[in-house]
Structure formats: C-alpha cells, structure tokens
Amino acid sequence: MFSRLFATRLFTAAGLVAALSAPAAAQDAQAREGRVHISVTDRDGKVLPLTAAEVAISEDGRAREVLRVEKASGPVQIALLLDDSQAAQATINDLREGVRQFIAKVLDANAQSEIALISFGERPTLLVDYTSNRAQLERGIGRIFARQGAGAYMLEAIFSAARGAAKRASARGHIAVIGTEGVEFSNDHYGRVLDELAQSGATLWALTLTAGARAAESEETRNRSVVLGRGTDDTGGRQDQVLANSAIPTILGKLADSILNQYAVTYGRPDALVPPKTIDVKVSKPGARVLAPSIAPRVRKP
C-alpha cells in the first residue's frame, strides 16, 4: 500500500511539474522567434507574392533562419498626426477628404482596426483617441481647421504618439504624419525623438506637403528633416513628397495600401544576453521594392 501511495504521489507531482513547465516551454519557444513586418511591391506599387525562400534576414550581421512568410493579418493601430498650423491653410479641404478616405479604407479592410487623430498646430492636440467608431472619427475630421498664427509642433507630436504606441504594445502599430514645410516650433532634438520611436515598435510614415511656403533653415527644421528621413528608414516606413494638395487623397490611399498589405516574416532568434540592435532584410525577387525596418524588433514578453 505504501508503494502504491508513493507512486501515486510521485505521478501527481510529475504531472504538476509538466503542467507548470509547459507554459514556460511555450514562452521560451516564442522568445526564440523574431517577427518583422515588411512591404514588397513592384515599381508601380503593386504587392508582389513572397515566399520564405526569397527572404534573407540577419541581425547585427548574423544570419537568421527564415521560418515563415505570411500576409500580415489582424487589426492595425494607426496614429494620424495632422498639421493644422497656419502653414496648412490651403491644404485643409484636401486633407479632410484624404483622411476620410484613408479611414474608410483601413476600417473596410478590418473593422477592429483603431485610428487616433492628433493635430499639432500650436501644440499636439488629441482630436479623437484610438477608436474603430466611424462616427467619432468623422466628428474629429470636422474639427480640423488651420489655426491662425500657429506654428507646427510636429516633433512633439511624433514623440507623444511614439510613447503612446509603446504603451499599447501593438503588433501592428503605425504613426502617419502629414505636415507642411512651414516653421517648426518643437525644440526636441532628433536623437530624443528617434530613440522614443525605436522603443515604440511602431512604423513611421510621412507625407510632406510641399505646395505651401517653405520655412527658412533652422535647427528646428533640421531636426524635423532628420526625424522624417531616418525615422521612416529605421522603422520600415516611407516618406512621400506631395507636390499638389489635390493629390493628398490619392497618396493617402497608397499609404493605406502599404500598411494593409504588409508581410509578417517570422525567423529564428537564438537566446542572447544582449538583444540585437539592427536587422537587415533582403528579398531576392527581381524588380522588388522592399520597405523593412533597420532596427531589430524588441523581444516581447508573452
């Protein structure tokens, strides 16, 4: 009887250890994988098919094994940062219509996606917090007016949006900024903004409206240029120049297509005491244009 009781207790203890170790094993397996989102199109912007055999990834110069390539699915979270400074006066009507069409395209693709509207004339102002509610977003669009005598605080807006994206920890977070080349009033240094952007895990997209007056070169505008240039490259986004205000809806539509048609690339990531800093993604498909981050994705805790 003693032997039978001892065996029963031993079996129960072994089962408990197995049950406790299973989640840990699953977490360890997840920690050994990295995932990055990329866009692959031809020269005309058409999404190209992609297989794991056509993708090569390295982190900090070390090759990684590509495990899976899939069309990215699930909802996206997008912070739309909108210039409503005086310099944007002539763009407002086209900007409203472009934002309206952008929202419709994103929510038609996945009704669970969430969009926030933030203006940055004078100071960053939350017009609509992250939501899938079209009526709320439409009311936010109606609040977009050029602020007379106001300058733009684009860098403050990007910094704040990046901090918010980091807290949300979305697997598919994006920050899309639409601004003029007018005066920049943020005194944030580009390094501080880029660091926050890197920590956020979000992809930065930028549309620069060039039809209006261009501000004189200053420390503030130089910081803005660096953030828009390096920030989009670092995170796998894109910077577009908008030559005519009437083209805003069309270019915003293409931006929505880029966000909605990304690939999720999963690759092996060995355990390391120090997380990798850089990632290099190459695609061996003739004529392919690739948008991929150069900052290694964060190791997310399950």
Side-chain angles (χ1 to χ4, degrees):
M1 181 174 179
F2 174 79
S3 299
R4 209 167 27 239
L5 179 62
F6 178 78
T8 301
R9 289 179 176 174
L10 183 62
F11 177 80
T12 302
L16 179 62
V17 170
L20 291 175
S21 63
Q27 292 179 8
D28 184 61
Q30 185 170 344
R32 291 173 182 268
E33 291 184 355
R35 173 171 289 191
V36 64
H37 289 88
I38 67 173
S39 298
V40 182
T41 65
D42 62 16
R43 296 184 181 276
D44 296 323
K46 181 180 178 181
V47 177
L48 296 175
L50 192 66
T51 66
E54 295 172 313
V55 182
I57 288 182
S58 61
E59 287 184 315
D60 290 346
R62 296 179 178 85
R64 303 299 192 214
E65 180 187 4
V66 176
L67 304 175
R68 298 182 298 280
V69 173
E70 308 158 302
K71 288 294 292 292
S73 60
V76 297
Q77 287 74 43
I78 306 171
L80 273 179
L81 313 184
L82 311 170
D83 190 345
D84 62 348
S85 67
Q86 181 172 314
Q89 176 72 56
T91 73
I92 295 301
N93 289 336
D94 294 304
L95 179 60
R96 285 178 177 173
E97 184 56 31
V99 170
R100 186 174 288 112
Q101 293 180 22
F102 178 92
I103 290 171
K105 179 171 281 193
V106 170
L107 294 182
D108 286 347
N110 190 312
Q112 302 301 314
S113 292
E114 295 180 319
I115 300 171
L117 301 182
I118 302 166
S119 65
F120 55 85
E122 288 189 355
R123 293 287 178 180
T125 302
L126 181 64
L127 302 177
V128 183
D129 204 351
Y130 283 97
T131 183
S132 303
N133 188 302
R134 298 183 190 231
Q136 290 182 23
L137 291 165
E138 181 60 34
R139 287 194 292 271
I141 293 172
R143 295 173 59 194
I144 303 172
F145 293 95
R147 300 172 183 263
Q148 295 304 310
Y153 287 79
M154 182 189 291
L155 296 188
E156 281 191 21
I158 295 174
F159 183 89
S160 297
R163 178 158 290 184
K167 291 179 180 178
R168 293 176 67 83
S170 169
R172 300 184 68 192
H174 300 270
I175 298 171
V177 56
I178 307 167
T180 69
E181 293 184 310
V183 178
E184 172 67 31
F185 280 77
S186 298
N187 54 19
D188 277 314
H189 187 266
Y190 68 82
R192 178 172 179 264
V193 181
L194 290 174
D195 286 346
E196 193 68 31
L197 188 60
Q199 291 298 316
S200 75
T203 303
L204 179 66
W205 308 83
L207 271 63
T208 302
L209 313 177
T210 63
R214 184 174 184 177
E217 184 76 6
S218 66
E219 186 66 22
E220 290 79 10
T221 59
R222 283 192 291 271
N223 281 320
R224 180 177 66 190
S225 296
V226 173
V227 169
L228 295 184
R230 281 181 48 184
T232 51
D233 285 344
D234 288 349
T235 62
R238 183 179 67 237
Q239 182 179 14
D240 291 314
Q241 302 290 325
V242 184
L243 302 180
N245 294 333
S246 59
I248 294 175
T250 299
I251 296 179
L252 269 176
K254 291 181 179 179
L255 171 58
D257 289 336
S258 296
I259 291 173
L260 296 171
N261 291 288
Q262 289 184 308
Y263 285 97
V265 181
T266 305
Y267 59 94
R269 172 182 261 180
D271 287 335
L273 293 176
V274 179
K277 294 182 178 180
T278 64
I279 186 170
D280 184 38
V281 181
K282 289 185 170 58
V283 173
S284 61
K285 180 179 285 289
R289 289 186 170 181
V290 182
L291 293 177
S294 59
I295 298 175
R298 295 175 299 167
V299 177
R300 299 182 184 271
K301 295 181 179 180

